[in-house]
């Protein structure tokens, strides 16, 4: 539930949404930068593609965001790429995050951020889940890594996989 009671303080976007950023080798490519002091709701299939940037972000949210449908991300040839970077709360129905080249992190959380994926997270990122400083990642059902990956929880971060016990887990890699 939104902490904002005034509808003007909430932003709803309906899709389908297609965002593509490419060929900015010295810049940050941020496909969905949700930075204003509002809560966000995104409905409809969302496809994001970011390639050939210095730092790539798929979904970067400073405040609460609710992604109601499938979120598909494709990152190629970036120096560094982060699929979901939340600073507050993010609820995502399903995310398929494919990454190649450079440092790749499917979900990155810090401080008291919380991401909940209700249906599935599929990724080939070298770091599937990174939690730092009291952050929480809750992958409620399916969690599939398509290549060797890492799950990292530091400084009291918590990561839950298949928390509903109704999903499929296919993980290959290491934990830290």
């Amino acid at each position: 539930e939104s902490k904002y009671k005034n509808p003007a303080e909430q932003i709803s976007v309906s899709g389908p949404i297609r965002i593509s950023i490419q060929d900015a080798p010295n810049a940050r490519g941020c496909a969905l930068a949700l930075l204003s002091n509002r809560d966000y709701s995104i409905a409809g299939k969302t496809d994001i593609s970011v390639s050939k940037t210095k730092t790539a972000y798929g979904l970067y949210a400073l405040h609460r965001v609710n992604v109601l449908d499938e979120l598909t991300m494709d990152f190629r040839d970036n120096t560094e790429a982060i699929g979901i970077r939340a600073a507050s709360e993010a609820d995502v129905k399903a995310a398929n995050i494919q990454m190649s080249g450079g440092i790749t992190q499917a979900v990155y959380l810090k401080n008291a951020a919380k991401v909940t994926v209700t249906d599935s997270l599929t990724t080939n990122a070298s770091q599937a889940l990174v939690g730092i400083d009291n952050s929480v990642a809750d992958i409620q059902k399916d969690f599939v890594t398509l290549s060797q990956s890492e799950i990292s929880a530091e400084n009291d971060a918590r990561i839950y996989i298949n928390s509903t016990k109704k999903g499929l887990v296919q993980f290959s890699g290491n934990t830290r």
Side-chain angles (χ1 to χ4, degrees):
E1 181 177 320
S2 176
K3 70 178 180 179
Y4 300 106
K5 302 305 177 202
N6 181 349
E9 295 174 324
Q10 302 173 40
I11 297 176
S12 296
V13 180
S14 295
I17 300 166
R18 173 82 178 125
I19 299 170
S20 180
I21 299 171
Q22 63 184 24
D23 298 325
N26 298 316
R28 176 184 296 173
C30 204
L32 274 174
L34 309 178
L35 307 177
S36 67
N37 195 16
R38 291 173 160 69
D39 286 353
Y40 298 87
S41 178
I42 300 170
K45 184 171 174 25
T46 302
D47 291 311
I48 292 171
S49 173
V50 184
S51 63
K52 299 179 184 170
T53 68
K54 183 175 182 180
T55 305
Y57 291 96
L59 172 62
Y60 189 115
L62 292 182
H63 300 280
R64 184 168 174 70
V65 62
N66 189 2
V67 181
L68 302 168
D69 293 294
E70 184 181 350
L71 177 61
T72 301
M73 298 183 190
D74 181 32
F75 296 90
R76 295 182 191 183
D77 302 320
N78 299 288
T79 304
E80 178 181 17
I82 299 172
I84 298 172
R85 169 69 168 98
S88 182
E89 290 185 48
D91 294 322
V92 177
K93 180 179 180 182
N96 185 334
I97 304 172
Q98 301 305 305
M99 308 175 120
S100 65
I103 299 166
T104 58
Q105 299 171 324
V107 177
Y108 178 90
L109 307 172
K110 193 170 182 179
N111 301 326
K114 180 178 182 183
V115 167
T116 301
V117 179
T118 57
D119 287 359
S120 67
L121 172 62
T122 301
T123 188
N124 66 344
S126 60
Q127 293 180 299
L129 299 164
V130 177
I132 302 171
D133 300 333
N134 296 306
S135 60
V136 177
D138 184 6
I139 312 307
Q140 294 184 339
K141 293 181 184 169
D142 298 351
F143 175 65
V144 177
T145 58
L146 302 173
S147 60
Q148 291 287 315
S149 192
E150 179 177 90
I151 297 172
S152 175
E154 302 174 24
N155 299 333
D156 297 322
R158 290 164 290 162
I159 297 175
Y160 304 101
I161 306 290
N162 192 19
S163 62
T164 63
K165 297 182 177 32
K166 296 180 181 178
L168 168 74
V169 176
Q170 292 179 336
F171 172 72
S172 178
N174 66 293
T175 59
R176 181 169 65 121

